[in-house]
Amino acid sequence: MLDDAGLRALREAARLSPENLPLRQHLAGQLLAMGYLAEAEAEYRAALVLAPKNADITAGLAEAFVRQSAYGAALAALEPLLASPGYPPKLGVLAARALLAEGDTARAAHRYHDAVSRDPSVGDADLAARLSAPPVPASPYPAPAPAPAYPAAESVPASPYPAPAPAPAPAYVAAGSAPAYPAHPTYPAHPAPTPAPAYPAAGSPPPDGAEVERAGLSFADVAGMEAVKEALRIKLLLPLQQPELFAAYGKRAGGGVLLYGPPGAGKTHLARAAAGELGAAFVNVGLADILDMYIGSSERNLRATFEMARRNRPCVLFFDEVDALAARRSDMRQAHTRQLVNQFLAELDGVDQKANEGVLVLAATNAPWYVDVAFRRPGRLDQPVFVPPPDAAARAAILRILCRDKPLAEMDFDAVARATEHCVGADLKGVVDRAVEAKLQQSIRAGRPIPLSTPDLLAAAQTVRPTAVREWMSTARNYVMHANDSGAWDELMPWVKRKW
Ligand code: ADP
């Protein structure tokens, strides 16, 4: 793989010879291999403009999408090529990955087995195993938010290049990972095009009445993030607490805030705490709870969810991974999903002035660049708030909160904070959980509770490998540097300039 200087030289060469297809393709491949996914995507798009039918380039683009969890975009890129009967089998495997991530196991299995039956060398044991795992039952509410479907290529603002008409060719199957297609009991070599939804039946009841939480948290339970908390106080809490004052200036309580930042940095935690701070109900909506393969069901689910929030006002309605929904608007693969997004926007706008009074919509995303601009219009999720990774002081404070109900020796949380650079809240929770588990075993052996100590946390910290922030910053850097004409990502500028 290239080092940084090599990559710089390659970028410069491509910049000087923008029409040199092999060079651009090489650069794109290097970027992909090095994990600069958004930039790889932009390069592949540019290359596709030069060679619209090139299968390898399309495959590279699709892989860049898949690795950014932009499954809808990957499928949109692959689809034109998959439509022809002689499509390169490796493309089918790539599509299977995206379909599986979207929860469409049946189509994923069909794609995979069709591809492998034509060319066993493209098989992927890991994927085959995941396809054969029993489908996750369609969960009602508290399910962890599932693999999102993302934007069609055209809606991805990342690249300065026009969205190309894609063409395929594979890339995704990890080299060497492909033993011949293991005959799978569940999926015979030539499966009939199965439907077989892991989805609720069309007539299943909407997720109404479920999971209205009373959050036992407040901002005191959120360590650090003072600027973020202050922003939420001004944007959400004060209008609700002092409506008269805001009315005097022609402002209404309501509307929404889009929380964005690296995964695990505390967006959900913060939303829950905001609800508690307000004494409001909290409704946590994973998009899996809403999206449904049957036309009309998703709309019903969405309406029911908003109605539930309105019945429980004041209420914080939290949509996690909102980019999955936002992206669908331009996803032409399924016209009805556009309808769903339009309905989401209509619900956000409220049928009348008072419809959403006392309903605060918080949405979270790790990929704000995929959120359709329509979502960010005034009165909708018009207030993006960056939830940053914690600095050392914030990490120490998070650790203190996470440990506060445990038997503790004298603790040096600052030392642990220093040893957990680049860790986000979720990583720190992992550190504490791991240390507690080890301590519990010791205590069981000793027959008495042994308090948790600094060395325990330091030992557990050694075992975590925080990579999410670095990757996230690297993607963000590409958007800040290359797709920030509107200034939407200005807030990120000082963050992405740091070394991560
Ligand atoms: P995100 O929604 O950004 O992916 P979460 O809110 O799920 O992240 O954070 C994961 C966990 O990390 C939370 O459940 C919480 O225990 C912990 N956590 C994250 N940030 C903080 C914080 N600032 N203070 C206290 N705990 C935090």
Side-chain angles (χ1 to χ4, degrees), residues 221-223 225 262-270 366 398 401-402 425-426 429:
D221 300 290
V222 181
M225 296 201 211
K267 298 179 289 296
T268 310
H269 189 64
L270 190 67
N366 303 333
I398 293 174
I401 286 180
L402 290 170
K429 190 164 184 307

Short mmCIF file of all heavy atoms in Angstrom, two decimals, residues 221-223 225 262-270 366 398 401-402 425-426 429, ligand 1:
data_model
loop_
_atom_site.label_atom_id
_atom_site.label_comp_id
_atom_site.label_asym_id
_atom_site.label_seq_id
_atom_site.Cartn_x
_atom_site.Cartn_y
_atom_site.Cartn_z
N ASP A 221 -26.20 13.57 33.67
CA ASP A 221 -25.68 12.23 33.36
C ASP A 221 -24.87 12.21 32.07
O ASP A 221 -24.39 11.17 31.64
CB ASP A 221 -26.84 11.24 33.22
CG ASP A 221 -27.63 11.16 34.50
OD1 ASP A 221 -27.11 10.61 35.47
OD2 ASP A 221 -28.77 11.67 34.54
N VAL A 222 -24.80 13.36 31.43
CA VAL A 222 -24.01 13.43 30.20
C VAL A 222 -22.73 14.18 30.53
O VAL A 222 -22.76 15.37 30.84
CB VAL A 222 -24.78 14.19 29.10
CG1 VAL A 222 -23.95 14.24 27.82
CG2 VAL A 222 -26.12 13.54 28.84
N ALA A 223 -21.63 13.47 30.46
CA ALA A 223 -20.37 14.11 30.81
C ALA A 223 -19.87 14.97 29.66
O ALA A 223 -20.09 14.64 28.49
CB ALA A 223 -19.34 13.03 31.14
N MET A 225 -19.37 17.71 26.84
CA MET A 225 -20.31 18.21 25.84
C MET A 225 -21.02 19.49 26.28
O MET A 225 -22.21 19.66 25.98
CB MET A 225 -21.39 17.17 25.54
CG MET A 225 -20.89 15.90 24.94
SD MET A 225 -22.29 15.12 24.13
CE MET A 225 -21.88 13.43 24.31
N PRO A 262 -19.43 10.94 15.28
CA PRO A 262 -18.98 9.54 15.17
C PRO A 262 -19.87 8.60 15.96
O PRO A 262 -20.49 9.02 16.94
CB PRO A 262 -17.57 9.56 15.77
CG PRO A 262 -17.29 10.94 16.17
CD PRO A 262 -18.47 11.80 15.97
N PRO A 263 -19.95 7.36 15.54
CA PRO A 263 -20.77 6.40 16.27
C PRO A 263 -20.26 6.24 17.70
O PRO A 263 -19.05 6.26 17.94
CB PRO A 263 -20.59 5.09 15.49
CG PRO A 263 -19.46 5.31 14.54
CD PRO A 263 -19.29 6.78 14.36
N GLY A 264 -21.19 6.11 18.62
CA GLY A 264 -20.82 5.87 20.01
C GLY A 264 -20.46 7.11 20.80
O GLY A 264 -20.10 7.03 21.97
N ALA A 265 -20.55 8.29 20.15
CA ALA A 265 -20.13 9.51 20.85
C ALA A 265 -21.18 10.01 21.82
O ALA A 265 -20.93 10.95 22.57
CB ALA A 265 -19.77 10.59 19.84
N GLY A 266 -22.36 9.40 21.82
CA GLY A 266 -23.33 9.76 22.85
C GLY A 266 -24.58 10.47 22.34
O GLY A 266 -25.28 11.12 23.12
N LYS A 267 -24.90 10.32 21.06
CA LYS A 267 -26.06 11.03 20.52
C LYS A 267 -27.37 10.53 21.15
O LYS A 267 -28.21 11.32 21.57
CB LYS A 267 -26.11 10.86 18.99
CG LYS A 267 -24.89 11.47 18.30
CD LYS A 267 -24.90 11.30 16.80
CE LYS A 267 -24.66 9.88 16.34
NZ LYS A 267 -23.32 9.35 16.68
N THR A 268 -27.49 9.21 21.23
CA THR A 268 -28.71 8.65 21.81
C THR A 268 -28.80 9.00 23.29
O THR A 268 -29.87 9.39 23.79
CB THR A 268 -28.70 7.11 21.64
OG1 THR A 268 -28.40 6.82 20.28
CG2 THR A 268 -30.03 6.51 22.01
N HIS A 269 -27.68 8.88 23.95
CA HIS A 269 -27.60 9.18 25.38
C HIS A 269 -28.03 10.63 25.62
O HIS A 269 -28.81 10.94 26.52
CB HIS A 269 -26.15 8.95 25.81
CG HIS A 269 -25.91 9.02 27.27
ND1 HIS A 269 -26.46 8.12 28.15
CD2 HIS A 269 -25.16 9.88 28.02
CE1 HIS A 269 -26.06 8.43 29.39
NE2 HIS A 269 -25.27 9.48 29.32
N LEU A 270 -27.53 11.50 24.77
CA LEU A 270 -27.84 12.93 24.89
C LEU A 270 -29.33 13.19 24.65
O LEU A 270 -29.95 13.98 25.36
CB LEU A 270 -27.00 13.67 23.85
CG LEU A 270 -26.95 15.16 23.90
CD1 LEU A 270 -26.23 15.61 25.16
CD2 LEU A 270 -26.20 15.70 22.68
N ASN A 366 -24.72 9.16 11.87
CA ASN A 366 -23.26 9.13 11.77
C ASN A 366 -22.83 9.66 10.41
O ASN A 366 -21.65 9.85 10.16
CB ASN A 366 -22.72 7.70 11.91
CG ASN A 366 -23.16 7.05 13.20
OD1 ASN A 366 -23.41 7.74 14.18
ND2 ASN A 366 -23.27 5.74 13.20
N ILE A 398 -16.80 10.93 31.77
CA ILE A 398 -17.66 9.81 31.35
C ILE A 398 -17.35 8.58 32.19
O ILE A 398 -18.23 7.89 32.68
CB ILE A 398 -17.46 9.50 29.84
CG1 ILE A 398 -17.98 10.66 28.99
CG2 ILE A 398 -18.17 8.21 29.45
CD1 ILE A 398 -17.70 10.52 27.50
N ILE A 401 -18.85 8.81 35.55
CA ILE A 401 -20.30 8.53 35.52
C ILE A 401 -20.55 7.03 35.36
O ILE A 401 -21.38 6.43 36.05
CB ILE A 401 -20.98 9.31 34.37
CG1 ILE A 401 -21.07 10.79 34.77
CG2 ILE A 401 -22.36 8.75 34.05
CD1 ILE A 401 -21.71 11.68 33.73
N LEU A 402 -19.79 6.42 34.48
CA LEU A 402 -20.02 4.99 34.23
C LEU A 402 -19.68 4.13 35.46
O LEU A 402 -20.21 3.04 35.62
CB LEU A 402 -19.17 4.53 33.03
CG LEU A 402 -19.61 5.07 31.66
CD1 LEU A 402 -18.56 4.76 30.60
CD2 LEU A 402 -20.96 4.47 31.25
N GLY A 425 -17.68 7.47 24.07
CA GLY A 425 -18.42 6.98 25.23
C GLY A 425 -18.71 5.49 25.15
O GLY A 425 -18.56 4.76 26.14
N ALA A 426 -19.09 5.04 23.96
CA ALA A 426 -19.43 3.62 23.83
C ALA A 426 -18.20 2.75 24.09
O ALA A 426 -18.30 1.70 24.73
CB ALA A 426 -19.99 3.34 22.43
N LYS A 429 -17.60 2.69 27.78
CA LYS A 429 -18.56 1.79 28.44
C LYS A 429 -18.05 0.36 28.31
O LYS A 429 -18.11 -0.44 29.25
CB LYS A 429 -19.93 1.93 27.77
CG LYS A 429 -21.03 1.25 28.52
CD LYS A 429 -22.38 1.78 28.01
CE LYS A 429 -23.55 1.21 28.78
NZ LYS A 429 -23.59 -0.23 28.86
P1 ADP B 1 -24.41 7.15 19.66
O1 ADP B 1 -25.90 7.29 19.74
O2 ADP B 1 -23.70 8.43 19.34
O3 ADP B 1 -23.95 6.04 18.76
P2 ADP B 1 -24.68 6.32 22.40
O4 ADP B 1 -25.49 7.44 22.90
O5 ADP B 1 -25.40 5.05 22.11
O6 ADP B 1 -23.86 6.76 21.12
O7 ADP B 1 -23.49 6.07 23.43
C1 ADP B 1 -23.14 4.79 23.87
C2 ADP B 1 -23.01 4.75 25.37
O8 ADP B 1 -21.87 5.50 25.77
C3 ADP B 1 -24.18 5.37 26.10
O9 ADP B 1 -25.17 4.43 26.38
C4 ADP B 1 -23.54 5.87 27.39
O10 ADP B 1 -23.51 4.86 28.35
C5 ADP B 1 -22.13 6.16 27.00
N1 ADP B 1 -21.88 7.60 26.78
C6 ADP B 1 -21.62 8.19 25.60
N2 ADP B 1 -21.38 9.51 25.77
C7 ADP B 1 -21.51 9.75 27.08
C8 ADP B 1 -21.39 10.93 27.88
N3 ADP B 1 -21.08 12.11 27.34
N4 ADP B 1 -21.59 10.81 29.21
C9 ADP B 1 -21.88 9.62 29.77
N5 ADP B 1 -22.00 8.47 29.06
C10 ADP B 1 -21.82 8.52 27.74
#
